[in-house]
Amino acid sequence: MSKFILLGLILTVPSIFGEKFRFDNYALYKILPKNLGEIKFLQGLYESDNRFDFWTVPGPFAEFVNVLSSPEHRNDLETFLVAHDIDYEIPQFNLQDAIDREAVKPYVRSDLTTMGWDSYYDLDAIYAWMDDLAKEYPSIVTIIIGGTTFEGRQIKGVKISHGTGRRIIFLEGGIHAREWISPATVTYITNELLTSDNEETVAAARDFDWYIFPVTNPDGYVYSHSTFRMWRKNRRPVRDTFGVDLNRNWNNNWLVVGASSDETRDDYAGHGPFSEPETRTLSTYLASIGDKIDLYLSFHSYGHLLLLPFGNTTEPLANYNDSMAIGRRAMGALSVRFGTQYKTGNIAEAIYKATGGSIDWVKETLKVPLVYCYELRDNGTEGFVLPPSEIMPNNLEVMDSLLDMILQARRFGYMSGGFEVRASLSVILMALLAKWLYN
Ligand SMILES: *[C@@H]1O[C@H](CO)[C@@H](O)[C@H](O)[C@H]1NC(C)=O
Ligand SMILES: *[C@@H]1O[C@H](CO)[C@@H](O)[C@H](O)[C@H]1NC(C)=O
Ligand SMILES: *[C@@H]1O[C@H](CO)[C@@H](O)[C@H](O)[C@H]1NC(C)=O
Ligand SMILES: [Zn+2]
């Protein structure tokens, strides 16, 4: 590339997309509270001091709390921690370095080989790739539109179907914009379902209808690429600021706990349940297929957790015991390949009470039998800026867990899937045999 073109890019890109925010010398803290008293101090800071970006919430069960600080405020943060005798590490001294290493790659239209999982991709790339999948596998893949965004984009997905009459597995990715590993996981699962020759994967692809939405917060995801890497919410203007947390906006125990009515905060729940076009349209779409969904998975990062409903109470509600047993076994399968340990629990007992999330609404309103939320890699060292070298290990272990989850679900009497078809076939054969015997 000539110097002239390079200069042209530098000069025009900011004017088209707005200045890209830099995180030079922003430091990521991994705070290690020793007891509930220390967690209480951190909670106070989380609630009162908006100079710090809490990447994880200081819930009662927090093993660590990640906080991002600008260089100007690091001193105050450390003074606070030292004054309260709270231990901490600093895994990242310059977040911009980690961001620079993320290596976002272009996707070349009509060339499926240019999609991969050793780097991250922007929304246009993911959408173009999905369009190409529908062209490459016309009898299996169809483009589905789950809704629309505030800025007028489509919530685009793919449906993978090998025939009619199948139950549904629904995958929801990217509802929080900055959690880039989520779309990267969901696109990988999609690709495996279409290209793998692993027997179990092939069976999973054939036995179910897969409804897959890698990016359910497209406006936020675009903004996290173009302008502000750490963006979480959607992009609706609210008073002097922007954005509603789309995973606090669902109509289930809305704004009851672990969500904010302050529009400047990252967990701002919106001005009412389903106030946002993204959640409103996606939930309407979900309701239209709800009675056919056997398994609903939401993908977030990070923290090595498998969460199940509900977020308002640690009480075991609905089919908690079965969901826990199936989830734990699946996380056992996840750990085999690289030893990554996930903790399984309902939202309130595993992290903190939080309501208005998609999985609680899907569970209670649509009565979907199995509903989980993955909090993917990692465990507080890189956080949202997970290095590209970890995308594949993450994807491989998650794929292992997903196949095992389907297996366990069947063992526990959930998700008949392909069995339904085979069972009815044997019923017909038995009936024919009986008829023949008695004639
Ligand atoms: C928590 O939410 C569930 C689902 O809406 C509800 O059935 C239950 O009564 C709630 N529990 C508490 C303690 O609020
Ligand atoms: C769930 O498991 C617990 C502990 O084993 C048991 O006490 C409880 O009765 C079970 N609940 C249901 C609904 O099966
Ligand atoms: C995550 O990190 C914490 C603190 O560094 C550690 O105690 C814990 O065992 C780790 N958990 C998992 C699930 O890897
Ligand atoms: Zn999230």
Side-chain angles (χ1 to χ4, degrees):
M1 191 184 289
S2 77
K3 272 187 194 146
F4 178 73
I5 293 172
L6 200 64
L7 188 66
L9 274 178
I10 291 164
L11 292 178
T12 55
V13 165
S15 64
I16 296 168
F17 297 107
E19 203 77 50
K20 201 173 202 168
F21 188 90
R22 292 186 59 86
F23 290 87
D24 294 306
N25 298 315
Y26 276 60
L28 180 65
Y29 288 76
K30 186 174 189 179
I31 302 169
L32 302 159
K34 294 183 284 294
N35 51 50
L36 263 176
E38 297 190 357
I39 287 182
K40 282 238 154 63
F41 284 126
L42 293 168
Q43 264 165 2
L45 191 68
Y46 167 68
E47 275 153 24
S48 65
D49 200 330
N50 60 12
R51 290 175 304 164
F52 303 114
D53 182 6
F54 276 75
W55 282 11
T56 62
V57 175
F61 313 106
E63 283 169 349
F64 65 87
V65 177
N66 276 147
V67 178
L68 182 70
S69 174
S70 67
E72 304 85 74
H73 298 127
R74 282 189 52 191
N75 207 15
D76 286 356
L77 178 61
E78 290 181 20
T79 305
F80 175 87
L81 294 174
V82 169
H84 292 93
D85 191 31
I86 301 176
D87 297 337
Y88 64 90
E89 297 159 4
I90 307 179
Q92 308 282 331
F93 283 93
N94 182 0
L95 189 69
Q96 189 60 44
D97 282 349
I99 292 172
D100 291 342
R101 284 193 297 266
E102 280 187 310
V104 176
K105 274 196 188 157
Y107 173 74
V108 180
R109 212 170 264 277
S110 303
D111 184 357
L112 289 172
T113 65
T114 59
M115 173 56 74
W117 289 273
D118 57 356
S119 60
Y120 294 99
Y121 291 82
D122 68 14
L123 188 78
D124 286 345
I126 293 171
Y127 277 12
W129 174 72
M130 292 197 292
D131 290 339
D132 286 344
L133 289 179
K135 280 182 210 140
E136 180 76 12
Y137 306 97
S139 58
I140 300 164
V141 176
T142 41
I143 294 292
I144 48 181
I145 305 301
T148 48
T149 72
F150 177 78
E151 291 177 348
R153 293 186 176 86
Q154 293 179 325
I155 300 174
K156 188 186 279 202
V158 291
K159 176 182 173 186
I160 299 178
S161 177
H162 287 264
T164 55
R166 284 159 170 78
R167 305 284 300 167
I168 294 172
I169 297 178
F170 194 101
L171 309 184
E172 168 224 293
I175 203 167
H176 284 148
R178 62 188 174 181
E179 299 166 9
W180 286 8
I181 187 61
S182 165
T185 305
V186 175
T187 51
Y188 178 77
I189 296 169
T190 308
N191 193 58
E192 282 296 286
L193 292 170
L194 292 169
T195 62
S196 170
D197 46 26
N198 172 290
E199 241 175 74
E200 275 181 275
T201 309
V202 170
R206 291 188 165 274
D207 286 352
F208 296 93
D209 278 353
W210 293 79
Y211 283 67
I212 304 174
F213 292 93
V215 188
T216 50
N217 175 12
D219 296 350
Y221 190 65
V222 166
Y223 192 71
S224 75
H225 278 262
S226 68
T227 311
F228 191 76
R229 176 64 186 85
M230 288 309 134
W231 196 254
R232 166 179 165 107
K233 304 188 278 185
N234 76 351
R235 287 294 300 162
R236 175 206 281 284
V238 267
R239 290 200 214 192
D240 303 333
T241 178
F242 287 87
V244 171
D245 183 343
L246 295 180
N247 212 38
R248 298 290 183 277
N249 188 242
W250 294 66
N251 190 12
N252 189 272
N253 293 313
W254 179 79
L255 200 56
V256 167
V257 60
S260 180
S261 54
D262 174 350
E263 62 275 1
T264 64
R265 293 191 64 98
D266 254 347
D267 60 352
Y268 173 53
H271 60 73
F274 287 147
S275 58
E276 301 313 291
E278 292 86 353
T279 49
R280 204 165 49 234
T281 53
L282 185 59
S283 62
T284 302
Y285 181 81
L286 274 164
S288 73
I289 52 169
D291 60 340
K292 298 191 194 69
I293 304 176
D294 271 356
L295 173 64
Y296 186 98
L297 298 177
S298 171
F299 291 87
H300 288 250
S301 72
Y302 52 93
H304 298 177
L305 300 163
L306 185 73
L307 306 175
L308 43 120
F310 284 85
N312 62 328
T313 172
T314 54
E315 261 175 82
L317 297 178
N319 55 343
Y320 173 89
N321 284 7
D322 282 358
S323 300
M324 280 296 282
I326 294 165
R328 280 198 175 128
R329 289 177 188 209
M331 293 308 104
L334 184 148
S335 72
V336 171
R337 199 183 280 263
F338 302 111
T340 313
Q341 300 293 327
Y342 272 53
K343 185 166 100 184
T344 305
N346 81 20
I347 300 166
E349 70 183 339
I351 37 171
Y352 50 86
K353 287 183 183 168
T355 58
S358 63
I359 67 168
D360 285 3
W361 183 84
V362 166
K363 182 70 190 172
E364 188 167 32
T365 304
L366 303 183
K367 308 263 182 295
V368 172
L370 292 174
V371 177
Y372 296 99
C373 168
Y374 279 80
E375 292 285 354
L376 301 163
R377 286 193 184 202
D378 63 5
N379 187 19
T381 306
E382 326 259 4
F384 299 121
V385 192
L386 193 68
S389 59
E390 282 201 51
I391 299 174
M392 267 314 284
N394 169 84
N395 291 351
L396 289 168
E397 68 196 9
V398 169
M399 195 68 208
D400 292 342
S401 75
L402 175 53
L403 295 175
D404 194 68
M405 189 181 277
I406 294 170
L407 181 75
Q408 301 303 338
R410 282 174 162 164
R411 284 200 179 141
F412 277 75
Y414 294 86
M415 302 181 73
S416 46
F419 287 177
E420 221 163 45
V421 181
R422 284 193 280 276
S424 52
L425 198 66
S426 58
V427 168
I428 292 166
L429 285 176
M430 293 282 278
L432 285 176
L433 186 67
K435 202 171 173 220
W436 178 74
L437 280 175
Y438 285 107
N439 273 345

